[in-house]
Amino acid sequence: MESKRKEDYLLFLEHVTMRFGGLVAVDDFYNGVRPGELLGLIGPNGAGKTTVFNVITGIYTPTSGRVYFRGMDITGLKPHVITHLGISRTFQNIRLFYNLTVLENVLVAQHHSITNKDADKFLEKHGFEKKGFGSMWLGKAILKTPGYMKLEKDMLKEAEELLEKVELLEYKNELASSLPYGMQRKLEIARALATDPQLILLDEPAAGMNPQETEELMRFITRIRDEFNVTVLLIEHDMKVVMGICERIIVLDYGKIIAEGTASEVQSNPKVIEAYLGEWEHVS
Amino acid sequence: MERRLKTSTKVYLTLGLIALSILLLYVASKTLDTYAIRILRLIAVFGVMAVSYTFINGITGLFSLGHAGFVAIGAYTSALLTMSPMQKEMSYILEPLIWPLNVIQTDFFTATLAAGVMAALFAFLIGYPSLRLTGDYLAIATLGFSEIIRIMALNMQSVTNGALGLKGLPEYSNIWWTWGWLFITVVVITSLTYSSFGRALKAIRDDAIAAEAMGINVFKHQLMAFVISGFFAGVGGSLYAHLLTTIDPRPTTIGVMLTFYLLIMIVLGGLGSITGAIIGAALFAILSEWLRFVEGTMHIGKWTIHGIPGMRMVIFSLLFIITMLVWRRGIMGMEELTWDKLYNWILRLRPRRKEG
Amino acid sequence: MSREELMLEVEDLHVYYGAIHALKGISLKVPKGAIITLIGANGAGKTTTLTTIAGLVKARSGRIKFMGEDITNKPPHTVTQMGIAMVPEGRRIFPNLTVYENLMMGAYTRKDREGIQEDLEWVFQLFPRLKERLTQLGGTLSGGEQQMLAISRALMSRPKLLMMDEPSLGLAPLLVMEVFDVIKKINGEGTTILLVEQNAMGALKTAHYGYVLETGKIVLEGPTDELLQNEEVKKAYLGVA
Amino acid sequence: MSGTIFLQNLFNGLTLGGLYALIAIGYTMVYGILRLINFAHGDVLMIGAYLAFYGVTLMSMPWYISVVVAILGSAGLGFLIDRVAYKPLRESPRISALITAIGMSFFLESFAVVVFGGIPKSFLSITPRFLKKVVVVFGARIQVLTFFALATTVALLALLLWIVYKTKIGMAMRAIATDIPTTALMGANIDNIIGFTFALGSALAGAGGIIWAMRYPQINPYMGFMPGLKAFIAAVFGGIGSIQGAMLGGFILGMMEIMIVGFFPQLAGYRDVFAFVILILILMFKPTGIMGKKLTVKV
C-alpha cells in the first residue's frame, strides 16, 4: 500500500490492532478518512467493521496503535469526550431514546455542549475553540434564570431547524418509539448530526430497509454530507448502498484491510469476490 | 389534535392552584381532627421521599434500594440538632452523646437543611463507588449500604443512642412544614426533570450507551442525580422524625421496609412520574389507614368478623405484584399530569355532553 | 418438484422484530431427501427463516407445515420432538458441558438407549476426532471441532429434517470443504437438509435446489446448477449493477 | 483465644457457612439462568421452618417426616413462585422481574405474619432431644446438633452436586445456564427445567431454614431476610452462577463472621456489617467473584 501521511486525514488510525483474548478483531489497521469524503467500510460478517467503529468512538481502547482526529491523539479518550470533539455515530441496531419525543432526542444530543468541561479543556489545549451554548449550572435550571431560559430557547430553535432540514419537524412531539422503522433510522442520523460533528459514523444504516427505503436513505446521506458539511464514514454489508454513494471504499476481511479503492476497483478485486462469494472455486 | 394552553395561562392556573392549596390546607388545619391531619402530614412526608426516590429509580433509571439509608441519615442528623442539650443528656443513658453534638441546638429549618446536606454527602460517598455497577448489582449494593447505615445507627451508642433510639422529639412537622417542603421538592425535582439536565437523565435511562455516544458524561450525571435525590431523602427523613417524634434503628422505621414502602408507592404511581409518586404516596398513606379495618373487628349485621393483624401489608404486596404483572405502567406511567392534559381532557368531555 | 413428497412447506411467512419487517412473505418447499439451500447477503432474512421454523421466533402471519402438520408458532421443544433439528449460527456449543454431554443434550428427548448408542457410533464415524475429545469441555474445542460437534449434536436427535445455519462460517478453507462433504454424506444416509449459507459457491455446489433471499424476500429460485450460472446471484452478493 | 474456644468457633463457623452455602445455591442457580436475584428465596427458608414447626405441633407428625414434608413444601413453593410471579415476565426488562421478586418477598413475609402470627415461636420444643445433648471434643463443649447440621448440610450439598453433574436434568440445567434458546432447540422444555431449578434451590433453602431454626431456635416471619441476603452475598463472593463458588463463598462468609467476632468481641454488634462490606469490596474489585466467569455485555 502507498505510504500515507496522517496530516492529510481528518481521522487516521495508525497501525490499530484490537485483540479480544486470542481473537484478533482488527489487525494493523493503517488508513483513515479524508476531510469531506464519503468513505465506505465493507466486509463480510465478522470482518471487524463494528470493532473499528467502537475503537474510533472510544468504546474500546485499541490493543496497540493510535487514533488521530483533527491532529489530536484521541486514543483512549472516553466516548462522551470523543463526541464533544466532533465524532458522532449511529448504531447497527437503532438505539434511540424511545421514551423521549423526536424533539427531545435531538435536544439530548445538544446537551453535551453545555456540560462537557473535560472535553472543552482538551479542545483548548489543542488550540481549538470551545463549543456550545454556554455553561450550565443546575441552580440556574431550578431558578429558571433569564440566562438559562435563553439557553433553552436557543437549543430549541436549533433543534427545530435541524428537524426541519431532515423533514421530521412535523413529528417532533411524537415518541421516538412510535415512528416507523425507516423514520427511526433517519432520526438516529439527525440525532447524531445534532451533536455538531465534523465526522459522522453510520453503522449499517440500510439494515432492515426495503429497496425504496434504501434508495431514499442513499440520497439522504449524500445530502446531509453537503448540507451539514460533515465527513461520512459508513459501514455496510449491502454492497449496493456502498457502491452507489461512496467515493472510496475500504474492504475488511478477518480484521485485515484486503482492498481499497473506488467502487469499480473494489468490485473487480479477486480478493473481494472471494471474501464475499466464498472460497470454493479457489480450492477446487 | 392536542391543544396547548398559553404559558401565561398556565402560570396563572398554577398560582391559583397554589393559593387554593394553601386555603384548603388552612381550612383543613382548622376543621379536621388530629387524626385526619396526621394523615395529611404523612402524605406530604411520604410525598417528599417518594418524589426524591422516583427521581433516581424512575427518571434516571438507576435501580437503588438504599433510599431508607438516606432517610435515616436525615432523620438522625435533624433529630440531633433539634433536641435540647438537656433532653439529650437525659436520653443518652448508656453512653453520653459526643461533643459537640451534645451542646448544639438549632431551629427546625436549619436542622432540616443540615439533614438534606448530610444525606447528600452520604449519597455522594455511596454513589461514587456503587454507580459503577449496573442493574441488580447496583440494587443489592445500595441495599447493602443502607443496611450498613442502619447497623451503624444501632451500634454507635454515643451518637445515635443505639437501639434505644431518640424519643420525645418536638413535633415540628406540622401541615405547613410538611406541605411546604413537599412543594419545594416538587418544584426543584420538576424543574430539573424538565431541563436539559433532566432530558439527559431520561436519555440515560432509555439507553446509557447511546447517551454516552451523544456526549453525555453518564457517570457524572447519574452521580449528580443520586446526590440531589439523597438531599431530599434527607429532608424527608427530618420531617419523618419530627412527625413520629421518635427515631430508632428498626428495619420498619428506617430500614429496608421503608425502602419497600417507597418502592410500592412509586411503582403504583408509575415508575418515572413525579405526579405518580405523589399519588402513590397519598394512596399508600390513606390506604394504610383506611385498611386498618381489615385488621380490626368488624360488625356486619349480626356477624362479627375478627380482623387479622398484618393483613394490610398482604394487600399492599399483592397489589404491588399484580401491578407489576398486569399493569406495569401504574397509575401515571411515565406521564405527568399537566395543565395541557387537563385542558385537553376537559375539551374531550364537552362534546359528549352536548350529544347527551 | 410438485410430485415429490414434501417434508416442509413454508407459506407466505411474515416476521417482525419490533418495527423491523424482517421476513416479507417467504414461501418455500423442502422435498423429502433433498438438500435445499437459502443464500443471500447478510441481513437478508436467512437466519430468521430458520429460527422461525424452529419456533424460536414467532411469525406474525403465514404458515409452516412439517410432514403435513401445522407447526407454525409451536414452541421449539415441540418442533424438535417432531423431528426437526438445527445447527444454529455460530455453533452455540454448550461450553461448560463435555463433548459427550453436548451430544447427550442433542438426544435429550430420546429414551431408546440402543438407538442413542447406534447414533453415537455413526457420529463418531463421521467425525472420529470427537471420539478422542469425549471428556473435554465443549468450550475448549477449536472452531472446526465445535462445528463438528454442533452438527453431531443435531444428528443425535435422529432428525427427519436437519437445518444448518452457516456451517462454514469462520472455518479455514480446507475445513469448509470438509463440512460440505459431510453435508452430502448425511444427506446420503437419508436426512433431508435445509442449508443456509453465506458461502454461496459452496452451498450451490452442495444443494439440489436453492432460494436467493434479499431483504426478507425470495428474489430468485431454481435448481442449483442454474443458479450457479446466474448473473443475479452475483449481483445479490456484490451489488454489481 | 484459647484452643477449645477456637475449636468451638471453628465448628460454629463451619455450620453457619454450610447454611449460607445451602441457601446460596438457590440464588446462584436462578441467577445463572435468569439473571434474576430471587429476593423471595430467603423467605422460602422461613416458610420451610414454619412448615416443619406446624408439621410437628399441629399435625403431630414425627419430626423426621415433618422435615421431609417441609422440604417438599418449600420445593413446591419455589416452583409456584416462578410460575406465578416470574414466568409471565420472562420477556420483560430484567428490572421488572427484580421488582416483582421484591414484591414476592414482601408478600411472603406479610403473609407469614397473618397466617403464623408476628410473635416469634420457639423451635426448641420440636427439636429432637438427642440433638440437644452436648459432647466434649478436645475440651470443647459442642452440641450434637452442630455435627448433625454439618453432616446434613454436607450430605445435601453432595446430593445436589450429584443431581447437577450426573443426571439428565442436571445436564439440562447446566446447558440452560449458558444458552436458553439452544437448549430449547435440543427439545428440552425450558419452563420445566427452570421450574425444577427453582424447586431444587427452594428445597435446599427449606432444609437450610429448618437447620437454622434448630440452631437459632426461634422462628419469625422475617427470619429469612438476613440469612437470605447474606447467602446472596456468599453467592456473589463465590462467583454468581457457579455452584461450587456459592458453596465456597458460603463457607468462607460463615467462617469469617464467626471468627471476626471470636477474635474481636468488641465488633459483635457489627456482625451483620461484615457481609455487606465484603459485598461492596467484591463488587468494586472483582465483580466476577472467586470462581465466576465474566458476563459480557454486547454493544
Side-chain angles (χ1 to χ4, degrees):
Chain A
M1 243 174 257
E2 85 258 51
S3 63
K4 294 181 160 68
R5 285 162 22 101
K6 65 174 182 259
E7 292 76 19
D8 300 336
Y9 291 81
L10 177 68
L11 173 86
F12 196 77
L13 277 70
E14 194 180 66
H15 300 298
V16 164
T17 296
M18 188 72 220
R19 265 190 212 98
F20 298 105
L23 179 85
V24 186
V26 179
D27 193 354
D28 195 29
F29 196 104
Y30 188 79
N31 216 318
V33 193
R34 298 190 188 113
E37 80 174 331
L38 216 164
L39 172 70
L41 182 61
I42 66 170
N45 217 7
K49 296 162 296 184
T50 297
T51 309
V52 171
F53 266 31
N54 287 339
V55 165
I56 296 172
T57 53
I59 290 177
Y60 303 143
T61 303
T63 317
S64 64
R66 318 286 320 164
V67 183
Y68 294 92
F69 178 61
R70 297 160 81 189
M72 301 177 277
D73 183 350
I74 61 164
T75 326
L77 291 182
K78 296 250 169 64
H80 67 264
V81 176
I82 289 176
T83 307
H84 192 81
L85 300 181
I87 302 179
S88 190
R89 72 173 291 179
T90 64
F91 293 89
Q92 198 169 336
N93 310 309
I94 306 180
R95 284 179 164 241
L96 287 170
F97 306 121
Y98 289 105
N99 292 307
L100 301 187
T101 63
V102 169
L103 180 64
E104 285 173 324
N105 264 278
V106 172
L107 285 169
V108 163
Q110 300 171 336
H111 180 73
H112 72 93
S113 65
I114 54 179
T115 55
N116 239 336
K117 301 249 159 45
D118 309 353
D120 270 335
K121 269 186 211 134
F122 191 83
L123 273 175
E124 282 180 321
K125 198 177 89 191
H126 286 84
F128 292 104
E129 256 183 58
K130 295 203 286 193
K131 37 166 135 181
F133 297 81
S135 76
M136 186 177 123
W137 177 63
L138 282 186
K140 288 187 198 167
I142 297 170
L143 298 170
K144 304 234 188 297
T145 60
Y148 176 76
M149 294 309 275
K150 185 180 176 304
L151 184 90
E152 282 265 327
K153 220 172 167 180
D154 291 347
M155 285 170 80
L156 186 69
K157 190 165 154 260
E158 203 163 299
E160 289 190 339
E161 276 171 17
L162 174 71
L163 283 175
E164 177 141 43
K165 275 191 203 166
V166 299
E167 291 149 8
L168 284 172
L169 189 60
E170 55 179 308
Y171 307 104
K172 69 173 182 177
N173 291 322
E174 306 278 325
L175 283 184
S177 54
S178 69
L179 292 185
Y181 183 72
M183 214 94 89
Q184 290 190 4
R185 275 275 178 219
K186 211 167 169 186
L187 174 59
E188 204 194 14
I189 297 174
R191 187 182 67 174
L193 288 171
T195 65
D196 188 21
Q198 259 107 21
L199 172 65
I200 178 164
L201 312 181
L202 305 177
D203 196 347
E204 302 209 6
M209 286 188 164
N210 61 35
Q212 296 96 296
E213 285 174 325
T214 306
E215 292 266 314
E216 204 178 302
L217 178 84
M218 284 160 71
R219 277 197 299 275
F220 181 66
I221 292 172
T222 348
R223 191 163 70 84
I224 59 162
R225 193 261 301 259
D226 303 330
E227 236 169 85
F228 290 87
N229 199 17
V230 288
T231 305
V232 180
L233 170 58
L234 177 88
I235 290 181
E236 193 49 78
H237 54 236
D238 186 346
M239 291 277 267
K240 266 179 284 182
V241 175
V242 181
M243 297 300 167
I245 58 175
C246 292
E247 288 134 10
R248 193 162 66 95
I249 292 167
I250 295 174
V251 190
L252 220 54
D253 195 20
Y254 292 105
K256 277 200 178 77
I257 297 178
I258 56 166
E260 180 195 344
T262 61
S264 51
E265 282 168 9
V266 166
Q267 262 172 337
S268 50
N269 189 321
K271 275 190 189 165
V272 178
I273 295 173
E274 191 186 290
Y276 270 81
L277 279 178
E279 317 189 48
W280 191 263
E281 308 234 82
H282 194 56
V283 258
S284 51
Chain B
M1 182 64 202
E2 288 274 307
R3 287 227 241 154
R4 289 181 175 239
L5 291 165
K6 270 191 279 176
T7 314
S8 57
T9 319
K10 282 189 240 177
V11 171
Y12 290 133
L13 279 170
T14 309
L15 289 175
L17 181 72
I18 294 168
L20 185 70
S21 310
I22 294 174
L23 185 73
L24 281 177
L25 285 175
Y26 178 77
V27 172
S29 70
K30 291 290 171 201
T31 56
L32 292 179
D33 58 22
T34 45
Y35 177 65
I37 288 177
R38 192 185 155 81
I39 296 176
L40 267 182
R41 288 147 68 206
L42 198 60
I43 289 174
V45 176
F46 280 156
V48 170
M49 294 182 197
V51 168
S52 63
Y53 194 37
T54 211
F55 189 58
I56 276 295
N57 282 36
I59 288 159
T60 316
L62 289 167
F63 195 72
S64 158
L65 287 179
H67 218 58
F70 306 135
V71 172
I73 297 283
Y76 273 103
T77 306
S78 147
L80 283 171
L81 289 176
T82 57
M83 282 169 84
S84 69
M86 207 174 66
Q87 211 184 345
K88 288 175 189 166
E89 215 182 301
M90 277 160 57
S91 302
Y92 285 69
I93 314 165
L94 295 176
E95 272 178 58
L97 180 59
I98 52 161
W99 188 87
L101 289 173
N102 58 350
V103 291
I104 299 180
Q105 191 186 5
T106 69
D107 60 293
F108 184 47
F109 183 72
T110 314
T112 304
L113 268 187
V117 170
M118 201 65 172
L121 181 74
F122 269 82
F124 179 81
L125 293 175
I126 290 169
Y128 198 83
S130 31
L131 288 177
R132 287 164 207 284
L133 307 166
T134 50
D136 33 19
Y137 279 106
L138 175 72
I140 209 87
T142 45
L143 179 70
F145 272 117
S146 92
E147 267 299 295
I148 291 177
I149 289 174
R150 193 183 68 79
I151 295 165
M152 301 289 259
L154 186 65
N155 284 284
M156 293 170 71
Q157 198 70 40
S158 58
V159 181
T160 61
N161 206 21
L164 297 172
L166 303 170
K167 294 196 174 62
L169 305 176
E171 201 173 345
Y172 285 131
S173 299
N174 60 20
I175 266 200
W176 302 112
W177 278 122
T178 51
W179 282 83
W181 272 109
L182 176 62
F183 177 75
I184 294 173
T185 309
V186 169
V187 166
V188 171
I189 299 286
T190 314
S191 317
L192 286 175
T193 304
Y194 290 90
S195 71
S196 190
F197 175 69
R199 267 196 305 271
L201 295 183
K202 287 189 254 179
I204 293 170
R205 172 191 66 194
D206 276 10
D207 191 331
I209 289 170
E212 184 86 22
M214 290 304 111
I216 295 166
N217 188 338
V218 170
F219 175 70
K220 209 166 131 187
H221 278 73
Q222 287 176 332
L223 187 60
M224 279 201 277
F226 208 64
V227 168
I228 293 164
S229 164
F231 176 86
F232 286 105
V235 167
S238 167
L239 297 171
Y240 197 44
H242 293 88
L243 175 84
L244 300 175
T245 71
T246 162
I247 191 81
D248 61 66
R250 278 180 307 176
T252 37
T253 324
I254 55 156
V256 142
M257 277 302 175
L258 179 62
T259 302
F260 287 2
Y261 296 158
L262 293 173
L263 193 63
I264 292 177
M265 295 175 209
I266 64 174
V267 166
L268 285 181
L271 211 54
S273 164
I274 296 165
T275 355
I278 300 170
I279 295 173
L283 269 181
F284 189 86
I286 294 167
L287 275 181
S288 58
E289 288 305 322
W290 182 67
L291 282 175
R292 273 187 198 285
F293 78 88
V294 296
E295 298 187 1
T297 314
M298 262 187 299
H299 301 279
I300 303 171
K302 284 187 270 186
W303 293 291
T304 303
I305 302 167
H306 290 285
I308 309 160
M311 203 58 202
R312 280 183 302 162
M313 289 306 145
V314 173
I315 294 174
F316 272 121
S317 51
L318 276 179
L319 203 59
F320 180 69
I321 294 175
I322 292 167
T323 307
M324 283 314 293
L325 289 180
V326 299
W327 191 42
R328 214 172 321 141
R329 65 184 297 279
I331 294 167
M332 294 299 297
M334 284 186 182
E335 313 263 313
E336 300 292 351
L337 199 57
T338 59
W339 289 121
D340 283 330
K341 280 213 190 83
L342 273 178
Y343 179 57
N344 281 295
W345 187 65
I346 293 165
L347 282 182
R348 251 173 282 148
L349 281 181
R350 239 200 259 142
R352 237 183 267 161
R353 268 192 214 148
K354 271 181 203 161
E355 282 160 33
Chain C
M1 52 181 205
S2 52
R3 285 173 185 277
E4 288 164 89
E5 199 182 336
L6 278 186
M7 176 150 279
L8 180 81
E9 194 176 2
V10 175
E11 260 174 61
D12 197 26
L13 198 62
H14 286 263
V15 173
Y16 287 79
Y17 294 118
I20 306 176
H21 195 174
L23 294 189
K24 301 161 188 160
I26 298 279
S27 298
L28 55 88
K29 292 188 172 85
V30 181
K32 209 171 182 178
I35 305 179
I36 302 296
T37 185
L38 301 179
I39 59 172
N42 241 313
K46 296 168 297 184
T47 297
T48 307
T49 308
L50 290 199
T51 47
T52 311
I53 295 171
L56 288 172
V57 176
K58 292 263 170 288
R60 177 81 56 95
S61 65
R63 215 156 52 117
I64 305 167
K65 266 168 87 178
F66 177 65
M67 314 270 290
E69 241 183 280
D70 190 346
I71 59 161
T72 324
N73 292 345
K74 285 253 160 64
H77 61 91
T78 311
V79 174
T80 307
Q81 281 161 19
M82 289 178 71
I84 301 183
M86 176 148 136
V87 181
E89 187 182 4
R91 310 182 263 272
R92 305 288 279 269
I93 289 303
F94 299 113
N96 55 344
L97 264 57
T98 63
V99 170
Y100 179 75
E101 286 175 327
N102 266 284
L103 293 171
M104 284 304 118
M105 278 307 293
Y108 193 79
T109 54
R110 297 175 61 179
K111 301 228 152 47
D112 54 326
R113 276 167 181 270
E114 284 132 51
I116 294 176
Q117 199 56 42
E118 251 171 51
D119 285 348
L120 210 54
E121 292 304 322
W122 175 43
V123 156
F124 291 151
Q125 254 175 35
L126 279 176
F127 305 109
R129 282 276 275 292
L130 289 182
K131 199 171 181 179
E132 299 161 22
R133 320 231 149 191
L134 223 44
T135 54
Q136 237 173 289
L137 286 185
T140 62
L141 299 186
S142 72
E145 289 166 340
Q146 286 192 4
Q147 189 61 62
M148 294 173 196
L149 180 54
I151 296 171
S152 309
R153 187 180 61 182
L155 288 176
M156 285 306 292
S157 68
R158 200 179 274 182
K160 299 186 183 87
L161 172 67
L162 178 65
M163 302 198 290
M164 304 174 100
D165 195 352
E166 310 248 5
S168 80
L169 190 71
L171 296 184
L174 272 174
L175 278 174
V176 173
M177 296 277 295
E178 211 181 307
V179 164
F180 285 117
D181 277 344
V182 164
I183 293 173
K184 280 186 183 158
K185 223 188 260 174
I186 295 168
N187 180 246
E189 306 251 351
T191 310
T192 311
I193 290 173
L194 178 56
L195 171 71
V196 152
E197 258 301 336
Q198 225 186 159
N199 187 331
M201 288 300 167
L204 291 176
K205 293 215 165 169
T206 311
H208 307 115
Y209 194 87
Y211 293 86
V212 182
L213 264 75
E214 208 174 306
T215 57
K217 272 189 198 141
I218 289 169
V219 290
L220 197 66
E221 62 176 286
T224 45
D225 41 359
E226 277 174 32
L227 290 179
L228 273 169
Q229 308 303 318
N230 196 304
E231 276 304 306
E232 287 278 323
V233 175
K234 240 184 175 178
K235 195 183 138 191
Y237 276 85
L238 291 172
V240 185
Chain D
M1 198 192 287
S2 74
T4 53
I5 295 182
F6 178 80
L7 203 62
Q8 237 157 17
N9 278 329
L10 186 73
F11 273 104
N12 285 340
L14 280 175
T15 317
L16 183 64
L19 286 173
Y20 286 154
L22 274 183
I23 308 162
I25 283 164
Y27 281 111
T28 223
M29 289 195 306
V30 166
Y31 196 92
I33 296 171
L34 298 177
R35 304 276 177 274
L36 164 74
I37 301 175
N38 178 15
F39 260 91
H41 190 62
D43 302 302
V44 172
L45 172 162
M46 173 266 298
I47 300 277
Y50 270 104
L51 286 179
F53 179 79
Y54 283 112
V56 175
T57 56
L58 273 188
M59 316 288 219
S60 38
M61 291 188 244
W63 71 277
Y64 45 88
I65 292 187
S66 177
V67 162
V68 172
V69 171
I71 290 174
L72 290 177
S74 308
L77 176 66
F79 182 82
L80 204 65
I81 291 175
D82 171 56
R83 277 295 145 103
V84 173
Y86 306 150
K87 189 172 166 254
L89 294 171
R90 293 257 207 276
E91 311 285 318
S92 316
R94 227 147 46 79
I95 219 76
S96 304
L98 182 68
I99 298 177
T100 313
I102 293 171
M104 198 32 119
S105 159
F106 191 44
F107 168 73
L108 289 176
E109 284 166 13
S110 36
F111 177 81
V113 170
V114 166
V115 177
F116 308 135
I119 302 151
K121 293 194 161 45
S122 169
F123 211 75
L124 275 179
S125 55
I126 78 147
T127 309
R129 193 161 299 154
F130 75 93
L131 290 177
K132 294 181 201 160
K133 283 192 187 129
V134 173
V135 289
V136 181
V137 186
F138 299 112
R141 294 170 53 79
I142 295 164
Q143 253 194 341
V144 176
L145 175 61
T146 308
F147 298 110
F148 175 78
L150 200 55
T152 316
T153 306
V154 171
L156 286 173
L157 292 179
L159 178 67
L160 175 94
L161 287 177
W162 180 79
I163 292 175
V164 171
Y165 285 96
K166 296 289 176 209
T167 66
K168 194 164 154 181
I169 184 98
M171 182 172 79
M173 283 166 61
R174 280 179 290 139
I176 208 176
T178 49
D179 196 332
I180 295 178
T182 307
T183 310
L185 281 181
M186 302 295 115
N189 185 329
I190 298 302
D191 289 324
N192 289 350
I193 299 171
I194 294 175
F196 180 80
T197 309
F198 268 91
L200 191 59
S202 302
L204 293 182
I210 297 165
I211 300 174
W212 191 281
M214 289 189 197
R215 277 197 55 88
Y216 309 94
Q218 258 198 352
I219 54 175
N220 70 69
Y222 300 102
M223 66 179 279
F225 183 76
M226 236 341 141
L229 218 50
K230 286 189 192 161
F232 176 75
I233 293 171
V236 174
F237 188 31
I240 194 107
S242 153
I243 289 172
Q244 290 94 328
M247 293 183 182
L248 193 64
F251 277 109
I252 294 177
L253 192 69
M255 192 59 91
M256 200 151 54
E257 244 185 64
I258 299 283
M259 285 301 173
I260 292 179
V261 176
F263 280 98
F264 309 98
Q266 66 274 24
L267 290 179
Y270 292 95
R271 188 174 149 168
D272 287 341
V273 168
F274 308 146
F276 292 108
V277 173
I278 288 170
L279 170 75
I280 285 152
L281 291 178
I282 281 280
L283 290 181
M284 232 53 97
F285 297 109
K286 201 173 184 304
T288 53
I290 329 175
M291 301 183 71
K293 285 183 208 88
K294 209 178 162 194
L295 304 169
T296 45
V297 184
K298 220 183 152 197
V299 176

